[in-house]
Amino acid sequence: MEKMEEDERKKEEELEKKHGKKYKKKKKKKKDDGPMETVILEQTIVKIGALLALGFGEAGSKIIAANMENSGDVDPMIPGVKCISIFGFCDIRNFTDSTEQLQEGVMLFVNEIGELVHSVCDHYSGAANKNVGDAFLLVWRFEEDEDFTVNEETEDLTIKDSRKVRQIADMTIVCFTKIITEIRRSKKLRKYRDYGPLLERMPNYEVKMGFGLHVGWAIEGAIGSFYKIDASYLSPNVELTIKLEGATKAFGVPILLSGELKAICSKEADSLMRHVDSVKLVSNGVICHIYTIDLDPNTIDTDFGQVSHTRKQAKLRRVKAKLNRQRYRDQCIDGTHSALDKFETDPDLRTVRKGITKEFYHTWKEAHNLYMKGDWLAAKPALEKVHKARGHMDQPAINLLEIMKGRTYCPPRGWTGTRECDEI
């Protein structure tokens, strides 16, 4: 899947060399143009292969291989494979209202966002998996033996502590923050901020998304029947990722990530994350430590944006991007660079983090520790100080203040810093 477009481009170049001008000019077939039928057939096979890889995605490569081994018959009823992956879920905000106003134009709207999301994800070593209307599931898959081990007796999967694992985990954070800045800067998406029907329904409208990140095991395989199959992932960890994204609205932040993901990131990533809450999920009793990455997308200058490209130019850019992707990944893993260097070298990432200081995080940590310990009377003025430090706009502080106020600043009996939550 990763090399799909490179392979297609190489194959086209081979066909050009093999058949010369007959291929390039796509002449109409004459009686003496024998090679043309072969050219068209080869070209068609290349296109079908590309479409097949595009439709199944990275998760479908094993499914295709398994079916090819079985005498070529398509059989979706094959066992899945247990793996460990980082799952990222992102959702377009206010999508119902946008659909009602855009009508037929909503497909273009979604695909323009999807193109941006998928391209950034691909650059940071991820793979686009499912497109579900207004949402996208992205996956960073780890390899058995190299990145995780399997206990033969219990079948438990354990992720390794390695530079590769830490760098891939860091890339997911860079990926989602970069998507946020690219959405803000995008020339294609800028037009929706000036579209009258959207502004009438939602004043000051602009494209925004929510993001959830989590890591864990899942079953990778074919989902569906002989009528239609998708290659995807099933597990409670995928569901938790989706729930984390859904909770971004309640927490008032664009990104939420789990403690499990934080645990496999580099130590340098700690300075980017803020522990906003610890909750016990009502659905299954699992305790989830929730973190966010503070950003202010409104600080991005929108006077600049991407330049429009022809289809051929866009295709060449994608091929070059895939080559750059592998180079960037290799450099991060071998230690030449670090994924988090982007927060220092990328102007947009520096800009959206400009107002988030060490002093602010210190103030938050003091207030949050008081909340976790159960000293809610002392936590109240401390959290109000945090709220004021962000210009009376810190939603995580507001959330904790409202939780404490609901119990008249008296924690439940047996308080351990974890509250039951039905928001996730």
Side-chain angles (χ1 to χ4, degrees):
M1 175 61 185
E2 204 173 281
K3 295 182 179 180
M4 178 186 69
E5 288 186 312
E6 295 101 305
D7 291 343
E8 183 183 350
R9 179 60 185 165
K10 288 176 183 176
K11 185 65 178 176
E12 288 177 352
E13 289 176 354
E14 289 174 6
L15 291 173
E16 288 179 10
K17 290 178 182 178
K18 182 177 178 181
H19 301 293
K21 294 180 180 179
K22 289 181 181 179
Y23 175 81
K24 269 191 164 184
K25 293 183 178 180
K26 297 181 181 178
K27 287 171 59 179
K28 290 184 179 179
K29 184 183 176 303
K30 297 178 182 178
K31 289 183 180 180
D32 59 344
D33 287 341
M36 279 306 296
E37 287 187 0
T38 305
V39 173
I40 294 170
L41 180 59
E42 289 181 13
Q43 185 183 10
T44 301
I45 291 172
V46 169
K47 297 293 183 184
I48 291 173
L51 287 170
L52 187 63
L54 188 64
F56 273 88
E58 190 171 281
S61 58
K62 293 180 181 178
I63 298 169
I64 295 172
N67 276 282
M68 290 179 70
E69 289 174 2
N70 297 329
S71 69
D73 294 332
V74 177
D75 182 10
M77 305 306 174
I78 57 177
V81 177
K82 194 173 184 179
C83 64
I84 289 183
S85 300
I86 297 174
F87 300 101
F89 191 77
C90 45
D91 180 84
I92 304 170
R93 297 279 173 84
N94 304 116
F95 186 70
T96 301
D97 290 332
S98 300
T99 301
E100 291 178 358
Q101 299 306 312
L102 293 171
Q103 296 292 316
E104 294 87 349
V106 74
M107 286 298 184
L108 178 63
F109 173 72
V110 171
N111 288 340
E112 286 174 340
I113 296 173
E115 180 185 21
L116 187 153
V117 169
H118 290 173
S119 64
V120 176
C121 171
D122 183 79
H123 178 72
Y124 291 103
S125 295
N129 181 249
K130 288 188 73 66
N131 309 315
V132 191
D134 59 337
F136 308 95
L137 177 63
L138 312 174
V139 180
W140 287 259
R141 193 184 189 283
F142 290 117
E143 298 300 324
E144 187 176 344
D145 296 329
E146 185 178 351
D147 304 318
F148 67 90
T149 57
V150 182
N151 187 310
E152 293 183 1
E153 294 182 2
T154 64
E155 296 186 354
D156 290 337
L157 277 56
T158 304
I159 196 163
K160 293 182 178 180
D161 181 14
S162 67
R163 178 175 177 84
K164 179 186 174 185
V165 167
R166 291 192 295 272
Q167 286 299 304
I168 295 297
D170 286 356
M171 282 184 196
T172 66
I173 294 172
V174 179
C175 173
F176 274 12
T177 51
K178 191 61 184 171
I179 288 173
I180 290 172
T181 64
E182 288 297 305
I183 286 174
R184 174 74 176 169
R185 186 178 280 281
S186 170
K187 185 176 182 180
K188 285 185 178 180
L189 299 182
R190 193 182 310 166
K191 61 179 175 286
Y192 298 107
R193 297 207 299 268
D194 301 321
Y195 186 61
L198 283 174
L199 294 175
E200 288 178 12
R201 184 72 166 263
M202 298 168 284
N204 302 315
Y205 175 81
E206 63 179 285
V207 177
K208 290 183 179 180
M209 300 185 76
F211 303 85
L213 274 170
H214 180 54
V215 62
W217 67 269
I219 304 302
E220 177 189 71
I223 302 171
S225 68
F226 286 97
Y227 297 94
K228 173 70 172 73
I229 60 172
D230 290 312
S232 194
Y233 300 82
L234 293 178
S235 85
N237 294 303
V238 177
E239 293 302 312
L240 180 55
T241 307
I242 296 171
K243 289 178 179 179
L244 282 169
E245 184 284 318
T248 57
K249 297 174 185 176
F251 282 85
V253 294
I255 301 175
L256 287 178
L257 53 100
S258 67
E260 287 83 356
L261 178 63
K262 178 182 181 295
I264 66 169
C265 288
S266 67
K267 293 296 182 184
E268 292 75 16
D270 287 353
S271 63
L272 300 171
M273 301 181 192
R274 178 161 48 136
H275 184 195
V276 293
D277 211 348
S278 292
V279 300
K280 183 177 181 180
L281 307 184
V282 173
S283 57
N284 55 18
V286 171
I287 293 176
C288 184
H289 302 289
I290 304 172
Y291 295 80
T292 191
I293 300 166
D294 291 289
L295 309 163
D296 186 1
N298 293 325
T299 57
I300 295 291
D301 185 357
T302 60
D303 289 339
F304 302 94
Q306 300 102 322
V307 179
S308 298
H309 297 278
T310 64
R311 291 184 65 181
K312 185 175 181 180
Q313 289 173 330
K315 185 175 181 179
L316 289 173
R317 286 180 72 247
R318 288 196 297 271
V319 172
K320 290 179 180 178
K322 286 182 179 295
L323 296 175
N324 291 334
R325 170 210 207 222
Q326 190 59 46
R327 188 181 305 114
Y328 171 73
R329 176 191 174 100
D330 292 342
Q331 290 175 340
C332 288
I333 292 172
D334 68 23
T336 305
H337 295 299
S338 170
L340 295 183
D341 287 346
K342 289 288 184 180
F343 282 95
E344 298 297 327
T345 60
D346 187 285
D348 286 342
L349 294 187
R350 285 205 313 268
T351 298
V352 293
R353 294 275 303 170
K354 195 172 183 179
I356 313 301
T357 63
K358 291 182 179 179
E359 291 74 20
F360 169 75
Y361 276 135
H362 179 71
T363 303
W364 167 263
K365 194 170 183 178
E366 286 185 337
H368 191 256
N369 284 342
L370 290 171
Y371 164 79
M372 296 288 285
K373 290 177 182 177
D375 190 355
W376 286 8
L377 288 175
K380 179 179 181 292
L383 286 167
E384 288 172 343
K385 183 179 178 182
V386 171
H387 185 45
K388 186 177 180 181
R390 289 291 301 277
H392 297 282
M393 56 177 283
D394 191 69
Q395 192 61 43
I398 294 174
N399 290 345
L400 295 187
L401 286 167
E402 290 178 349
I403 289 167
M404 295 189 299
K405 183 179 179 181
R407 294 192 58 88
T408 61
Y409 303 98
C410 181
R413 182 175 295 180
W415 172 255
T416 60
T418 302
R419 66 183 179 89
E420 287 196 347
C421 178
D422 57 5
E423 297 164 348
I424 295 180

